[in-house]
Amino acid sequence: MENGGTSSTNQQMIDQSHGNVGEEENSQLSLDINELEKSLTADMQKLHSFSDQCCIYRVPIRLRELNEKIFTPQVVNLGPLHHGKEELKAMEEHKILYLQEFLKWSTASMEEVIKVVKERETRLRNCYAETIDLGKDDFVKMMLLDASFIIVVLLKSCGVAIGSSNDRIFNKPWMLSDISLDMFLIENQLPFFILEDLLEASSTNRYSPAEEEYSLIELTYKFFEERWGSWILKKGILEEINSSEVAHFVDFIRKCQKPSESDRTKKELETINIPSITELHQAGVKFRFKPGKSLLDMKFDRGILEMPRLKIDDDTEILFRNLQVFEQCHCHEEYIANYISMINFLVITPKDVEILDRNGIIENWIHDYEAVTALLHNISKGNSLSADDFIFASLVEDLKAYCRRPWNKWKATLKLEYFHTPWAIISLIAASILLILTMVQTVCSLIQV
């Protein structure tokens, strides 16, 4: 009996011990859950919410790996994505000097321009596709310095008298050239509206009736036209672009290339088996430079392919790539991507480049047909192509149809082989006359017999 009682007591003690362990485990589990809940709640409170105002992005890794340098500022950082980089700190002193010059030129005080930026802080943060880890004051200070720097660069580039003549940027053309490239990088953008609001607040009542007043859209047009004139072809472009719809400089250049409604075929590209420039040339197609409203303004009619001039230089890849990134990250219509695809369908070999160069369609500043071909093919890497709404689909169909007609090929072959030089034409005529005389002589001989 004693043994039975002892055994029962021991079992009760074991059960009680297990119960205590279970309670401790449940208590620890609740504590862990509470800590995790607090941590996640704190993270959610710090989270940068998605906004339809977002328009400035990091370059996707798959594109950055192709050539990181063309996405990275070399002289000046603008905005928060490259803020504080050690290798770019030399330009921070220039920013302070330009803010000083901006305030001397401005009709607004330091307090007023700070207020302009501070009131738009949330909207500015929403323009970036990631949370900006800067306090309110640091963020506003950075934005004011960078925005005033850009505005002064634009004003000075357009000949507006501002600041001293001893300018350490404008007296060094190479530096201004590098800065203009940095101003076009997608990761180095400032929202267009903050530049416009600061300029407007600072130039109110500044201009006399005899002076020319510049809007930000006009300053932007003049600044980039000088560097990339072939991308801003249409004189009336400013009347067609609403500045309130411009996100930043990259978006402005893209809008300058926007195709008209008549150019938007919305047709499906059935196949990418598109004849190259050389194949078109062999089929009798002629090529003609046509000043157009944009690079996309290609026309084919009666055997003549008309194309606007494309300037190729050392900065072409920077221009194309940053437009390409912006389209892939932000835009529903990828007409720059369509152009990249089309030009790569047409240009396969250096011979294709040579034909376009000879006809004034490619302005070749590299002076190497193979290098131009390699450049264009490199830009096409990572390019997105939607066959459903390829804007050149009708043009492609017309070119293929022309090449399929045998008479066009025969005529082109005859011209290329027998009429390519005046001496060839003379030789052909002489040979024809000789053949006719021989036939006449033969006929006469037969008649005499």
Side-chain angles (χ1 to χ4, degrees), residues 325-339:
V325 169
F326 178 59
E327 277 198 342
Q328 291 190 18
C329 293
H330 188 78
C331 306
H332 296 294
E333 289 185 302
E334 297 185 54
Y335 43 81
I336 300 299
N338 278 199
Y339 179 80

Side-chain angles (χ1 to χ4, degrees), residues 210-257:
E211 292 178 313
E212 183 178 7
E213 180 178 359
Y214 289 112
S215 65
L216 182 67
I217 198 89
E218 289 172 323
L219 291 170
T220 302
Y221 173 83
K222 290 178 180 292
F223 181 75
F224 286 109
E225 181 192 29
E226 184 175 344
R227 181 165 196 98
W228 290 310
S230 62
W231 279 80
I232 311 176
L233 300 172
K234 194 174 181 182
K235 290 297 182 183
I237 195 70
L238 295 183
E239 285 72 33
E240 296 187 8
I241 297 180
N242 186 343
S243 64
S244 64
E245 297 176 355
V246 176
H248 39 64
F249 291 149
V250 178
D251 187 37
F252 171 78
I253 297 294
R254 181 179 177 273
K255 279 181 165 55
C256 289
Q257 295 297 316

Side-chain angles (χ1 to χ4, degrees), residues 55-296:
C55 60
I56 302 171
Y57 306 85
R58 292 277 188 189
V59 177
I61 294 177
R62 61 183 175 80
L63 293 176
R64 179 180 291 279
E65 287 178 342
L66 295 173
N67 189 347
E68 183 170 359
K69 185 177 180 180
I70 62 174
F71 300 116
T72 306
Q74 304 298 307
V75 177
V76 60
N77 61 284
L78 300 167
L81 299 186
H82 291 275
H83 179 70
K85 283 194 170 181
E86 190 67 32
E87 63 270 24
L88 302 175
K89 283 189 175 180
M91 193 56 63
E92 295 305 306
E93 183 179 342
H94 285 70
K95 291 181 183 180
I96 296 172
L97 290 172
Y98 271 22
L99 174 61
Q100 188 177 33
E101 292 184 358
F102 176 65
L103 290 171
K104 288 180 180 178
W105 173 84
S106 173
T107 58
S109 65
M110 173 78 86
E111 180 182 354
E112 289 171 327
V113 295
I114 290 175
K115 183 179 179 182
V116 169
V117 180
K118 201 169 186 65
E119 288 177 345
R120 293 156 178 79
E121 182 196 350
T122 299
R123 184 182 172 190
L124 286 167
R125 288 180 182 270
N126 287 339
C127 290
Y128 294 89
E130 60 185 63
T131 302
I132 307 304
D133 191 21
L134 283 174
K136 290 180 177 293
D137 289 345
D138 288 338
F139 182 83
V140 171
K141 179 182 178 181
M142 174 199 66
M143 277 292 174
L144 178 57
L145 283 169
D146 292 353
S148 59
F149 176 85
I150 291 174
I151 292 172
V152 171
V153 168
L154 295 179
L155 288 170
K156 288 191 173 189
S157 295
C158 292
V160 177
I162 177 173
S164 65
S165 58
N166 186 25
D167 190 294
R168 287 184 285 177
I169 291 177
F170 280 80
N171 286 343
K172 297 178 180 179
W174 66 268
M175 182 175 284
L176 181 60
S177 177
D178 287 351
I179 287 173
S180 67
L181 286 176
D182 285 348
M183 286 171 60
F184 188 74
L185 306 182
I186 184 61
E187 292 184 348
N188 225 25
Q189 294 302 298
L190 260 61
F192 202 78
F193 74 84
I194 191 61
L195 302 173
E196 197 164 37
D197 291 349
L198 276 171
L199 181 65
E200 183 179 347
S202 302
S203 60
T204 304
N205 300 322
R206 162 160 294 282
Y207 296 96
S208 68
E211 292 178 313
E212 183 178 7
E213 180 178 359
Y214 289 112
S215 65
L216 182 67
I217 198 89
E218 289 172 323
L219 291 170
T220 302
Y221 173 83
K222 290 178 180 292
F223 181 75
F224 286 109
E225 181 192 29
E226 184 175 344
R227 181 165 196 98
W228 290 310
S230 62
W231 279 80
I232 311 176
L233 300 172
K234 194 174 181 182
K235 290 297 182 183
I237 195 70
L238 295 183
E239 285 72 33
E240 296 187 8
I241 297 180
N242 186 343
S243 64
S244 64
E245 297 176 355
V246 176
H248 39 64
F249 291 149
V250 178
D251 187 37
F252 171 78
I253 297 294
R254 181 179 177 273
K255 279 181 165 55
C256 289
Q257 295 297 316
K258 187 175 182 179
S260 62
E261 291 299 325
S262 61
D263 292 331
R264 303 181 188 209
T265 59
K266 294 294 183 183
K267 295 181 67 175
E268 184 175 355
L269 182 65
E270 297 178 358
T271 175
I272 61 172
N273 185 24
I274 298 170
S276 68
I277 292 295
T278 300
E279 292 170 330
L280 292 171
H281 179 61
Q282 292 171 345
V285 174
K286 297 179 181 178
F287 305 95
R288 181 181 296 167
F289 159 64
K290 174 194 175 185
K293 60 187 176 181
S294 77
L295 288 172
L296 285 70

